[in-house]
Every structure is written in C-alpha cells, then in structure tokens.
Amino acid sequence: MNHVKPIKGRQLPTPTPTATPPISNNLQPECIRVNKVYDWVVLANSYRNKIALPDDCRALVDAAIRAGQEITISCIEPVVPGPTCNVVSIRRENIVVGGTSVRVGVVRFVFGATVVVRVFADSTPLCEFTTTVQFDQEVVLCLPEPLDESNIVCRISAIECNPIGNVLLGGMVQLDVIVCVEIQVEAEVKLEVLAKFCSPRPNNIPVPSPTPSFRCPPIVFPPQCPPIFPVANCDCQASVNALVPNISVSLGIPLTLAVGTIQLIADICPVCDPSSSSFTFNFFDNILPDVLPGDQSFSFSPTSISSPTCITVLPGLAILTGLTVTGTGVRTFTSSGVQETMTYSLTVAETGLGLPDVIILTLTDVNGILVFSATVTVVPDEQLLVADCVTFGDIVITTP
C-alpha cells in the first residue's frame, strides 16, 4: 500500500527591492500675500429627511399600490443647482483644548441640496420630481474676533442621496443624504514666511452648551489658535518596504522562541504630516517543530499612530538615526482569523551607510502583557530609509 502525504505550502509576497524615499517637506523662504488659514475642518455626516410626494405623483403611486404593484424609489443628485452651505449664526465660547483655554466660535451651518426623486412601479418609471433637502449642524471653529461669517469658506465637496424603504403613510418618502463638507476660516495677510504644507484636522471638538455672553472685540490682528491648528509637523520621517526571512522572534504567553519571515511596509510622516502615517506588519511562521505547535502567522494593522519620537541611540545597537511610533491596533491570526486588540511600539533605525538597518516591534495585550517581540538587525539598507524633517526649530534666525 502506498502512503500519500498531503503537500502543504504558502506563497510569501515578493519584496520590493528598495523602499520609496521619504517625501521631504522642508522649509524655504517665501514672500507672499495670502489668505491665512485660521482653521480647516473636513466632516462627513448623514441626515434623514421626510419628503411629501407631489399630488400628481401621489395619485399615480396610490393607484399602483391598489393594483398590487411593487413601488421602488431612486434618488439622484443633479449637477445644477449645486448644493449650498450657509452660516446661520455664530456664538463665542471659552473651551479647554489640551489644557489651554481657547476662545472659539460655535458656528451653525445650514446645508441644502436639490435632488431628483424617481418612483417606479414594478420597475417601470411612474413619476419623478425635484425636491430640496436641508439640514443644519454646529461646528467648533477657531474664529478669533473680529473675524465673522465673511471669513468662513464652506464647500460641499460630495453628496449622496439614498431612499430608505418604500412610500410611508401620508404619501411620504424618507431620504438619507450624506454630505462631505470642507470648512475653512481665512483672512488676507501679507507675510514673509518660511513655508511648508499643512493638513486638515478632524472635526473632534464637542460643541459646548450655549452660555450668554457679551464682549467688545479688540482692535488687534486676530491671533492663531495653536492648541487647535495648525498641527505640528514631524521632526523625522521614514519609509520601509522590507521582507526578511528566517528571523527569530518571541511570541505567546509566556514568550516562546519562534522562527519565520517578517514583512513591514511603512510610510511614517509622509510630507512630514503625522496624521498621514501608515504601516502594516506581517509574520509568516516557518511552522518548524517548535514549542508552539501550529501556524502562528499573523498580520498587524494599527488603528492609531503617534507622532514619531526621533532617536539617535538604541541600547546595544550602533545607529545613526531612527524613530519610534506607538499606538493601538488589531492582530489577526492567519490560520484561525482570531483578532485581538493590542498596543504596540515600532522602532525603525538607520545604521552606517550600506550596513543592515533595524526594525523593532513589540505587541502588548489588553492586560499589559508582552505577547510579541521582534528585534530585526539584518534589514537590507535599501529597504529602510529614515530622513530628517526641517522644522522651525531647525532654523537659526539672525539679525543684522
């Protein structure tokens, strides 16, 4: 009798030979007349509206329902007229952001859009009509006095309309309207500046309750709101596209030695913007006879990434420059699909020119127990790049 054993195997991703060089965002002198941005917010929200069918359309719909036909609805957004965004009111409040008291403007906006509603009976067009939907929202903005609504630029960049269910009692239809809104606070200034790109912040400041107040505006040029905007740039950045086989790691509870391939694809602080960082980490278990049986392969994806801490020293390792980021993320085991929430610390570092570089990753579970540790000191030099970001602190200002 012949004994046939199944053949098991996996494909590992082919590494890109080199990491993409980090995109620099260094300072350079500029003399400009420009609208200064005091705040910049991008938000996306969904609103539900009940719309009454016009009389002629409702008569056709009622007749179709009595005839036992199936009524369906579609909703589209016409190009003309476009959506509108208007400031309704502004009130001033003092709130605490990052431990600092900031006077902000609480601005109420009204968003409007004209949409076309089409009604079908058994998939045959029955009637259509145009209707206007409106909704309002309050947003906290850096709006130092004497800036007002004339300094607020509001733009609806995208809109989507979806009908909910069928025709309701009273000849009403429900529409879910999703809008993407970009809001800026601007004022024209003349500046001689050292400039670099900036990015919007999330709309993450809760709206405070109204409080009656009166304050005469000062006759001064409005100050910026440093605790809110602009977001500080990174001091360093990194790009990694590394695939390193036969690496010893420690994993499990208690930590146990295992051998496998590690893969890290990372873009930390592209254009020196901390909010744009991303990375993915994979461990491919060699599945050798070891203490931990079975396939221990997993992928790790961060849900938050801190602004990097730049380093020039690592204990026991000779490096030139590097950085560390921390945060939370989700580990997913390849064989079982089991997911766990983890905190992590990721360090990448450059050594001497042409020498292997360094990747260090640790994962800690929700109980604070270290469950994975990898220190990789044989990363090919061309697969890991760390660069400095030129910031205002790097500029030496001299006077004649």
Side-chain angles (χ1 to χ4, degrees):
M1 177 181 296
N2 292 328
H3 295 280
V4 179
K5 294 184 178 180
I7 298 175
K8 296 182 179 179
R10 295 172 299 157
Q11 289 185 335
L12 297 181
T14 302
T16 302
T18 59
T20 303
I23 302 172
S24 63
N25 186 22
N26 295 332
L27 299 172
Q28 58 184 12
E30 299 283 355
C31 185
I32 57 175
R33 183 188 66 168
V34 67
N35 278 346
K36 179 179 177 181
V37 178
Y38 286 83
D39 209 346
W40 185 10
V41 181
V42 176
L43 57 95
N45 279 330
S46 175
Y47 308 87
R48 181 162 295 184
N49 287 254
K50 286 186 178 180
I51 305 297
L53 296 173
D55 292 341
D56 56 344
C57 185
R58 181 177 178 183
L60 296 173
V61 170
D62 289 343
I65 293 175
R66 287 193 297 269
Q69 293 179 295
E70 181 183 9
I71 302 298
T72 55
I73 302 167
S74 71
C75 178
I76 61 173
E77 309 80 41
V79 176
V80 178
T84 59
C85 176
N86 298 306
V87 176
V88 175
S89 64
I90 299 173
R91 73 175 192 270
R92 310 284 179 171
E93 297 283 351
N94 289 321
I95 65 174
V96 176
V97 179
T100 302
S101 179
V102 185
R103 189 161 181 81
V104 299
V106 181
V107 184
R108 179 174 291 276
F109 293 88
V110 171
F111 310 116
T114 301
V115 298
V116 176
V117 179
R118 292 174 177 165
V119 184
F120 301 82
D122 287 344
S123 301
T124 300
L126 192 63
C127 60
E128 76 173 49
F129 60 96
T130 301
T131 186
T132 299
V133 292
Q134 283 191 329
F135 27 84
D136 65 340
Q137 181 175 349
E138 284 189 326
V139 180
V140 172
L141 294 174
C142 173
L143 189 69
E145 298 169 270
L147 301 188
D148 56 20
E149 64 267 20
S150 65
N151 299 99
I152 299 174
V153 179
C154 180
R155 182 178 71 93
I156 296 179
S157 57
I159 182 170
E160 181 179 301
C161 178
N162 297 298
I164 304 299
N166 296 319
V167 178
L168 306 175
L169 294 176
M172 307 287 286
V173 296
Q174 286 192 108
L175 304 178
D176 260 2
V177 180
I178 302 172
V179 294
C180 296
V181 184
E182 180 182 9
I183 300 170
Q184 288 191 174
V185 179
E186 301 178 348
E188 183 179 284
V189 294
K190 286 82 174 175
L191 297 175
E192 183 177 356
V193 299
L194 292 171
K196 63 195 308 180
F197 296 110
C198 57
S199 301
R201 67 170 177 85
N203 181 37
N204 58 359
I205 301 177
V207 176
S209 301
T211 54
S213 62
F214 176 80
R215 182 184 180 189
C216 295
I219 311 301
V220 295
F221 192 82
Q224 187 64 55
C225 305
I228 299 178
F229 182 86
V231 178
N233 284 110
C234 307
D235 285 334
C236 50
Q237 56 184 169
S239 178
V240 185
N241 193 339
L243 186 71
V244 188
N246 300 319
I247 296 299
S248 296
V249 302
S250 298
L251 56 81
I253 302 176
L255 290 176
T256 304
L257 186 66
V259 178
T261 297
I262 69 100
Q263 181 187 43
L264 175 65
I265 300 175
D267 198 4
I268 306 300
C269 279
V271 296
C272 300
D273 174 20
S275 66
S276 299
S277 295
S278 64
F279 76 83
T280 57
F281 179 86
N282 294 292
F283 173 68
F284 304 98
D285 190 359
N286 282 1
I287 320 181
L288 299 172
D290 52 24
V291 177
L292 290 176
D295 186 358
Q296 302 298 319
S297 302
F298 68 85
S299 63
F300 180 79
S301 298
T303 54
S304 68
I305 303 177
S306 67
S307 185
T309 299
C310 308
I311 60 174
T312 55
V313 175
L314 273 177
L317 295 172
I319 67 169
L320 296 179
T321 184
L323 60 82
T324 298
V325 291
T326 58
T328 59
V330 176
R331 178 171 69 168
T332 304
F333 284 98
T334 305
S335 60
S336 64
V338 172
Q339 293 188 324
E340 301 172 309
T341 299
M342 302 276 170
T343 59
Y344 70 88
S345 173
L346 172 65
T347 297
V348 297
E350 289 262 18
T351 57
L353 182 63
L355 297 177
D357 294 327
V358 178
I359 295 173
I360 302 174
L361 177 71
T362 60
L363 300 178
T364 305
D365 68 11
V366 293
N367 298 313
I369 299 174
L370 185 66
V371 296
F372 180 83
S373 177
T375 299
V376 186
T377 59
V378 291
V379 181
D381 182 56
E382 69 276 7
Q383 295 183 12
L384 189 155
L385 302 170
V386 180
D388 182 47
C389 290
V390 178
T391 64
F392 290 102
D394 298 320
I395 303 301
V396 177
I397 300 176
T398 59
T399 57

